Amino acid sequence: MMYSQAFTEKKEYLLCVSDGTVADVEHFIEWAMSLVSKAKETGYSRLLIDNRTFVLELSSLDVITFAKYLEDMGAATFGLRLAALTSPMNVEISRLVETSLTNRSASYKIFQSLAEAKEWLVV
């Protein structure tokens, strides 16, 4: 596996720390489905995703394919609220992920600051 995910149950949210690299849409989908599975398993609807050491080497088409896959499976109906801390190396592609998901009714927002992410997440 080219990446890892570590989950920690906090009082108000599920924390996922991601590390490593995702370089294709299949692994990005797998990464996202792991988040969804863990949220369902633990009963959390709010997720804080710490991707500060997680590298996305994806094309714009990969991101659109990813967002369409999640839309087709009804991800917006899962009721999840996701705040993602993004790596400074990934700001542009992370913004595209954010735009692609929010355009499909997902509650997903990227942040550079942990405090801002927490504040938005637990409103």
Side-chain angles (χ1 to χ4, degrees):
M1 191 180 294
M2 303 176 311
Y3 66 90
S4 65
Q5 289 171 299
F7 294 96
T8 306
E9 294 185 35
K10 300 289 188 176
K11 183 178 168 206
E12 298 175 302
Y13 58 87
L14 180 64
L15 172 65
C16 173
V17 178
S18 303
D19 191 25
T21 304
V22 164
D24 60 60
V25 70
E26 291 79 15
H27 284 103
F28 196 35
I29 288 170
E30 174 187 276
W31 172 86
M33 295 316 298
S34 176
L35 282 176
V36 171
S37 294
K38 192 66 170 181
K40 285 182 173 180
E41 175 189 316
T42 57
Y44 282 88
S45 61
R46 299 178 187 279
L47 283 79
L48 178 61
I49 307 162
D50 185 343
N51 284 349
R52 291 178 287 190
T53 61
F54 187 55
V55 180
L56 295 175
E57 295 176 351
L58 301 171
S59 69
S60 298
L61 179 59
D62 288 338
V63 173
I64 301 303
T65 302
F66 167 78
K68 176 139 181 41
Y69 175 87
L70 293 180
E71 180 183 37
D72 289 349
M73 66 168 302
T77 65
F78 297 163
L80 298 178
R81 184 172 176 91
L82 304 109
L85 290 167
T86 186
S87 161
M89 298 179 305
N90 285 340
V91 174
E92 195 173 307
I93 200 75
S94 296
R95 287 216 190 291
L96 183 56
V97 171
E98 179 184 61
T99 301
S100 299
L101 292 176
T102 54
N103 284 350
R104 289 163 175 82
S105 303
S107 183
Y108 180 92
K109 193 162 171 58
I110 62 168
F111 297 89
Q112 298 291 315
S113 152
L114 178 60
E116 289 176 18
K118 284 183 181 178
E119 184 181 320
W120 178 83
L121 189 62
V122 297
V123 175

